[in-house]
Amino acid sequence: MPDPAPTAAVLTQEAQTALGWVVREGVTNVLRHSQAATCTVELADAADGRIRLDLVNDGTGQQAGSPLGNGLAGLVERLAPLGGTLRHGPATADTYRLTVYLPTGSNS
């Protein structure tokens, strides 16, 4: 069973806002660039004290090594000052994953 999602109290307002932008851009990309039947969004504690947000869909809209579009590049710019990172690409032959890591701001 995955760890329960962190509470919003652990995340700064800036981190909450950034995660909102990630979900919005990620889901927009699924709708515009894939033929996905499903898309899952998961927010969890990473083992290293960061927060991990995963968006996974079965539409495989982009290939490995695809350049960042304007939307994803903008997310990278928003995440960087917060210490966040973004990765994207095929997770399996049939799924595509967008993953963001952000520090929680806690000392856990």
Side-chain angles (χ1 to χ4, degrees):
M1 176 178 235
D3 291 335
T7 64
V10 176
L11 299 173
T12 65
Q13 182 64 44
E14 292 82 8
Q16 291 178 44
T17 299
L19 290 174
W21 279 101
V22 171
V23 171
R24 184 178 301 121
E25 180 63 28
V27 171
T28 297
N29 285 347
V30 170
L31 294 171
R32 288 186 180 170
H33 305 296
S34 79
Q35 299 298 314
T38 62
C39 177
T40 61
V41 179
E42 179 182 14
L43 182 65
D45 288 314
D48 59 4
R50 296 182 296 170
I51 275 302
R52 185 189 76 242
L53 176 69
D54 282 314
L55 280 84
V56 180
N57 74 82
D58 62 357
T60 61
Q62 292 182 320
Q63 300 303 312
S66 296
L68 290 177
N70 289 336
L72 293 180
L75 290 178
V76 169
E77 291 174 4
R78 287 178 185 269
L79 293 167
L82 302 174
T85 60
L86 180 145
R87 290 186 284 176
H88 71 103
T92 67
D94 299 325
T95 61
Y96 188 85
R97 180 183 307 267
L98 172 68
T99 300
V100 166
Y101 288 92
L102 272 177
T104 62
S106 71
N107 294 326
S108 56

